[in-house]
Each structure stands twice: as structure tokens, then as C-alpha cells.
Amino acid sequence: DQQVKQNSPSLSVQEGRISILNCDYTNSMFDYFLWYKKYPAEGPTFLISISSIKDKNEDGRFTVFLNKSAKHLSLHIVPSQPGDSAVYFCAVAYSGAGSYQLTFGKGTKLSVIP
Amino acid sequence: SAVISQKPSRDICQRGTSLTIQCQVDSQVTMMFWYRQQPGQSLTLIATANQGSEATYESGFVIDKFPISRPNLTFSTLTVSNMSPEDSSIYLCSAQRDRNTEAFFGQGTRLTVV
């Protein structure tokens, strides 16, 4: 049973427009949320994170929104650039005692069209 | 951040043989992990590499198949033993400094078993 779901395997967006990537999780115990970007033949690269005490975190063109009641987070990229074309993974974590590990979604492949 | 060097970056191996993947971090880290990413799938945690003691394996992964070493705070190895074509995957090393912090990844090892 998937604990983290990214229901859109792919997304195409015109350059300059907003890209919105979505992620749903099942366990309300998760309290730390991250987004990673992955190019082919490279490891995932950390993008942005948010803890459960916040509902928004912004870093340049990237903003992550967290809706705890809906167990939903989203990543907004604006404006989208061709270099943003990659696979984006959502990851969640639980800060309970002894727990470090991240649980990943299956990823969404973003294509930004020039 | 941490820089993680993983090698080999790719290999083609005969079934029944074993491959050892090395992971070197440029600074001391608390936690190191090994993940597998099968085609079209998410990153699945294989095990947590514990410094100076046996690794902690996730459900579905066993030490005999995936022996792991972590002799110090900056280095770990993962061996894929007695390989079969089903082991063809990308294997990723990851490191984290602390709980509720981002994980950093190596570039991955693309393994093909023929």
C-alpha cells in the first residue's frame, strides 16, 4: 500500500507558465515533507522542504504548500523554465524516535516546452 | 550539503555473480542509506547502513542478498549477491546529517544483469 502518491506520472507546461506538482500521503504522523528533482543518469537533488508547523515555504521560483487536513502537498514552479524538465519526487518523513528514513512517491515527469 | 561519490556509475554483470558498489561522502554524516529504483518505480529503501554494526534492512530485503558495510562515518558499500536479471535496477546511496533534514544522493549505479 503506497503511503505517498503522485497521481500524475507526467505533466507538460509551457515555458513561463506555472507548473503545479501534487502529492498525497496517507499517514498523518508524517511531519516533514520534501521535494527532489532528478535528471536522467543523476541522483535525486534536494529542492525544497517544509515541516508540518508551516503551510507554505518559498525559495525563489519554488514554493511548497502543505495542507495537513487533506494530507496533500504541492510544488509550484513559476515561471517554469526548460531546465526544470526532470522527474520530481515527493518524499515524507516522520520525526519519531529513531526514525530518519524518507518515503518517496513514484515521481512526476515534468516537461517544460520552450 | 554533502557531496556523495558513488562507483561504479554503471555495470553489466553476468547472472550468478556479485557486484559491490562503493559510496564515499565528503564529510562525516550521521546516517547512510541504500535505495533501489526499478524502472518506472519510486525509490525503495533497501537498508540503513549503521556505522560499526549490522545494517538495518527493510521488509523484503535480506543481508545474504544485499550485504552492506559501513566501516566509518563517510564510507559504505552495498553488494548485490548472486545476481539475477530481476536485480537490474538503479542503486542509490544516500546520506543525512540529522533527523528532519534533507537527504543527499550519489549519482546512482545503473546495474544490468544478463
Side-chain angles (χ1 to χ4, degrees), chain B residues 17-103:
Chain B
T17 63
S18 298
L19 175 72
T20 295
I21 303 167
Q22 297 183 0
C23 178
Q24 178 74 55
V25 189
D26 68 342
S27 57
Q28 292 184 350
V29 289
T30 306
M31 306 297 289
M32 293 183 74
F33 304 93
W34 287 97
Y35 287 84
R36 180 173 74 182
Q37 186 187 15
Q38 294 178 306
Q41 299 298 312
S42 179
L43 283 72
T44 302
L45 181 64
I46 296 172
T48 303
N50 298 311
Q51 192 260 328
S53 65
E54 192 171 289
T56 305
Y57 290 84
E58 298 300 305
S59 175
F61 299 96
V62 295
I63 188 171
D64 289 346
K65 176 67 177 177
F66 297 103
I68 288 170
S69 78
R70 189 177 174 195
N72 56 53
L73 291 175
T74 64
F75 185 78
S76 178
T77 66
L78 167 74
T79 298
V80 187
S81 303
N82 188 25
M83 288 183 284
S84 67
E86 292 70 35
D87 294 321
S88 297
S89 188
I90 297 173
Y91 292 84
L92 292 149
C93 170
S94 170
Q96 249 175 287
R97 297 199 184 283
D98 205 348
R99 189 175 293 121
N100 276 8
T101 61
E102 61 269 28

Side-chain angles (χ1 to χ4, degrees), chain A residues 21-42:
Chain A
L21 297 106
N22 294 302
C23 176
D24 296 293
Y25 59 96
T26 57
N27 191 335
S28 57
M29 299 287 282
F30 292 129
D31 56 5
Y32 186 60
F33 308 89
L34 310 93
W35 284 95
Y36 283 81
K37 178 169 73 173
K38 186 180 185 299
Y39 293 118
E42 293 184 13

Side-chain angles (χ1 to χ4, degrees), chain A residues 94-109:
Chain A
Y94 163 59
S95 60
S99 175
Y100 279 77
Q101 66 188 63
L102 304 179
T103 303
F104 288 82
K106 288 190 174 183
T108 296
K109 183 176 182 180

Side-chain angles (χ1 to χ4, degrees), chain A residues 46-66:
Chain A
F46 170 74
L47 261 182
I48 192 169
S49 63
I50 188 169
S51 75
S52 58
I53 62 173
K54 293 185 173 183
D55 54 19
K56 177 183 174 182
N57 189 25
E58 196 171 346
D59 183 2
R61 297 185 297 114
F62 302 93
T63 303
V64 55
F65 294 91
L66 175 64

